[in-house]
Amino acid sequence: MTSRDGFTWTHASGLTAGVPSIGVIDPPTNVPNSDASYDVIVVGAGYCGLTAARNAAAEGLKVLLLEGRDRIGGRSWSSNIGGYPFEMGGTWVHWGQSNTWREMTRYQMMNEVERSFDFSHGVNHYELNITKQGYTMSHEKEDELLISALNKFTNIDGVYGRDTIPLPYDTFHTAAAKDLDNLSAQDRINSIAPSLSPQERAALESFVLLCSGATLITTSFHEFMHWWAMCGYTYAGCIDMLISWKFKNGQSSFAIRFFQEALATKRLAYAFNTPVNHIRDIGAAVEITTRAGTRYTAARLICTVPLNVLGDVTFDPHLSASKRAAIATGHVNQCVKVHAELANRDLRSWTGVAYPHNELMYAIGDGTTPAGNTHVVCFGGGNKPIDPEVDIDATKRAVSNMFAQQDETPQIERLVFHNWSNDEFAKGAWFFPAPGLLANHLEDMRERHGNVLFASSDWALGWRSFIDGAIEEGTRVAYEVGKELVELRNVKG
């Protein structure tokens, strides 16, 4: 099945909208009519919504899952082109992300992973291109450069954040941690700038922007430190947990397991291509109205809509002023992720940075396609925004510019991407906050609204913005709803 999401480009076909994915659901609905009653409605079929729907159905609740897209996965899904998976959003998994690995164990998928990068053959080097000045070095030197820069950046307390953020799941466990959220990444870089070489600064800034997908001024220094803490306060931990392991058959091969298990309970109804417009809490129940005007009712509603899209849904009664303020602020990640299939198998062991002059600033060899070409995944961000489908020639140039130090720019055979900034159900990539958002509004984002519960990786406590955080949140709200409804049944019974 082909999703309407995503784009591909090849010499033969040109730019084409829509890519095939095993995450596309057919038939798109199994709802017999809108008069059916439900225990809980779940809005959104990303990992958070899938977890909540599956857990609630497994606990005996009658569930309706509504999704605006034609597929599952939300901001984490994979295409399948010629038998090869290109990850369109969230990609990497690790046993240090305990919620994710627990689910992989549940579905016996622990061995269905492979290394993302492979430095065992090929060019086996790192290119650092700072405007017109280029440096080529070994991956060992790359690591030394980033370790030196990141240690200077993160050493806020003499122990690289361990005292300031000792318990990452308790986001503001110390007062000093809350103070960090008033600082931007630019503020921190300015304070250590005299200690950084030009190479260290370029490598550091591009790494930080790779995480945030924003600008240095709009990147919360605290949130970067939270990622750092979750990764064990080391560069090696970041590389290991954030970008080392991925599913052999793509993220959609994982997400479909959640959906299939929920469906097998015979207590899951679903409707895809069904955006939600309005949510009304009528006291004894919640009534939801879709964009097409259809209404559904349940005792509870779980809303997993991302922060940047939540303002498109109206609520009756109105949400609290503090929650509305968080929604109005939104998050800042406008990362662009472009997959390039390149006619050079030796690039499998290549990594590169082109910063700050290029629309794509970081890239890594991520696989070998069935045709024997190298799959390179490239990232850009808020520093030099780009809409890759608007000018495909500019996108190709941005990919080619990553290889300024190569003797010959590799031929681009294929491009694959999803423009998250122009996606009406995302309006940005993974969550990353500007300074102050979490300190002022983390609890506001998490608070429930009567019979409506809000769950999203955007306000998870642990691996916030990751697949693991989505599963964490889906588990939390499903447990809360299940407990309430079981107790309610016991009272009535």
Side-chain angles (χ1 to χ4, degrees):
M1 297 290 293
T2 297
S3 174
R4 61 177 175 269
D5 286 345
F7 292 87
T8 60
W9 173 90
T10 65
H11 296 281
S13 65
L15 183 67
T16 303
V19 298
S21 173
I22 61 173
V24 178
I25 302 303
D26 184 47
T29 183
N30 68 350
V31 178
N33 56 70
S34 62
D35 296 330
S37 61
Y38 300 94
D39 294 310
V40 58
I41 296 172
V42 177
V43 180
Y47 274 107
C48 184
L50 290 174
T51 303
R54 181 203 63 188
N55 288 9
E59 289 296 319
L61 301 181
K62 190 175 180 182
V63 180
L64 172 63
L65 177 65
L66 300 177
E67 168 59 53
R69 307 180 189 277
D70 54 14
R71 58 172 182 79
I72 58 173
R75 289 173 286 182
S76 296
W77 69 290
S78 55
S79 64
N80 193 306
I81 298 173
Y84 185 87
F86 292 91
E87 297 287 4
M88 310 302 285
T91 301
W92 293 279
V93 296
H94 193 272
W95 46 94
Q97 298 166 348
S98 56
N99 291 290
T100 302
W101 209 261
R102 182 193 66 234
E103 299 298 342
M104 291 170 63
T105 302
R106 180 185 188 123
Y107 296 125
Q108 294 297 293
M109 296 183 70
M110 307 85 69
N111 295 323
E112 295 184 27
V113 296
E114 62 185 4
R115 280 203 172 274
S116 182
F117 49 87
D118 178 4
F119 298 158
S120 64
H121 61 278
V123 297
N124 196 21
H125 65 234
Y126 167 68
E127 286 186 40
L128 176 60
N129 300 308
I130 309 172
T131 310
K132 294 183 179 180
Q133 184 69 46
Y135 307 87
T136 298
M137 64 189 78
S138 68
H139 292 301
E140 290 77 16
K141 291 295 183 181
E142 172 191 5
D143 289 345
E144 289 175 13
L145 182 69
L146 276 162
I147 288 169
S148 176
L150 282 164
N151 282 351
K152 293 172 184 178
F153 186 66
T154 61
N155 196 15
I156 54 177
D157 51 15
V159 286
Y160 308 100
R162 288 178 174 85
D163 286 347
T164 306
I165 308 178
L167 296 171
Y169 276 81
D170 187 356
T171 301
F172 299 114
H173 184 76
T174 69
K178 200 160 192 174
D179 291 340
L180 285 186
D181 203 40
N182 294 320
L183 299 176
S184 70
Q186 186 69 70
D187 292 329
R188 177 59 180 170
I189 288 173
N190 290 345
S191 71
I192 64 169
S195 70
L196 296 170
S197 70
Q199 295 90 346
E200 284 180 327
R201 182 158 183 167
L204 171 63
E205 290 185 359
S206 60
F207 187 89
V208 172
L209 294 175
L210 174 64
C211 295
S212 73
T215 68
L216 294 171
I217 293 173
T218 58
T219 294
S220 163
F221 178 50
H222 172 274
E223 188 67 352
F224 182 89
M225 288 300 300
H226 180 258
W227 282 37
W228 179 257
M230 292 296 293
C231 292
Y233 311 91
T234 67
Y235 167 73
C238 287
I239 296 302
D240 198 30
M241 294 193 194
L242 301 183
I243 199 170
S244 289
W245 296 94
K246 61 179 184 175
F247 287 107
K248 295 176 183 177
N249 296 312
Q251 276 291 339
S252 293
S253 69
F254 183 40
I256 199 69
R257 303 291 185 92
F258 292 69
F259 183 75
Q260 289 169 342
E261 183 181 351
L263 204 58
T265 66
K266 306 298 185 183
R267 289 184 289 272
L268 177 72
Y270 65 84
F272 288 79
N273 304 310
T274 306
V276 169
N277 271 2
H278 184 66
I279 296 172
R280 179 184 177 214
D281 190 340
I282 55 179
V286 182
E287 181 184 82
I288 193 165
T289 306
T290 70
R291 188 179 293 176
T294 307
R295 293 182 179 179
Y296 300 100
T297 303
R300 297 288 186 275
L301 185 137
I302 295 172
C303 180
T304 73
V305 173
L307 180 65
N308 282 5
V309 185
L310 202 47
D312 293 342
V313 181
T314 58
F315 291 84
D316 181 13
H318 293 303
L319 300 177
S320 68
S322 54
K323 189 181 280 288
R324 295 201 306 272
I327 294 168
T329 301
H331 77 81
V332 294
N333 188 345
Q334 299 297 321
C335 179
V336 175
K337 181 180 183 184
V338 176
H339 299 278
E341 184 178 349
L342 305 176
N344 184 340
R345 64 174 61 244
D346 288 340
L347 293 176
R348 184 68 179 89
S349 56
W350 173 91
T351 60
V353 166
Y355 174 83
H357 56 288
N358 197 34
E359 290 85 354
L360 298 171
M361 64 181 179
Y362 178 89
I364 185 171
D366 196 36
T368 302
T369 68
N373 299 317
T374 298
H375 161 217
V376 169
V377 57
C378 310
F379 296 87
N383 206 46
K384 289 183 72 67
I386 181 176
D387 289 324
E389 75 279 13
V390 173
D391 186 344
I392 198 66
D393 290 331
T395 303
K396 288 188 285 183
R397 282 195 300 272
V399 171
S400 297
N401 288 344
M402 294 299 307
F403 301 89
Q405 299 306 304
Q406 293 288 336
D407 293 334
E408 182 178 355
T409 302
Q411 179 174 316
I412 300 171
E413 301 292 343
R414 185 190 310 272
L415 297 177
V416 186
F417 54 87
H418 183 137
N419 189 337
W420 293 104
S421 296
N422 288 347
D423 183 325
E424 66 170 319
F425 302 121
K427 296 185 179 180
W430 62 89
F431 173 88
F432 209 97
L437 175 61
L438 291 179
N440 294 326
H441 294 301
L442 177 59
E443 294 308 315
D444 299 326
M445 291 187 283
R446 294 174 60 82
E447 73 177 358
R448 65 185 290 169
H449 184 63
N451 291 316
V452 180
L453 292 85
F454 294 88
S456 172
S457 66
D458 291 9
W459 47 84
L461 296 179
W463 288 97
R464 190 164 36 247
S465 82
F466 289 81
I467 294 163
D468 193 88
I471 296 171
E472 171 200 322
E473 279 287 284
T475 301
R476 173 181 68 85
V477 292
Y479 174 77
E480 188 172 343
V481 165
K483 184 178 178 182
E484 287 179 3
L485 295 184
V486 168
E487 289 177 354
L488 187 61
R489 284 176 181 174
N490 290 339
V491 170
K492 290 183 177 179

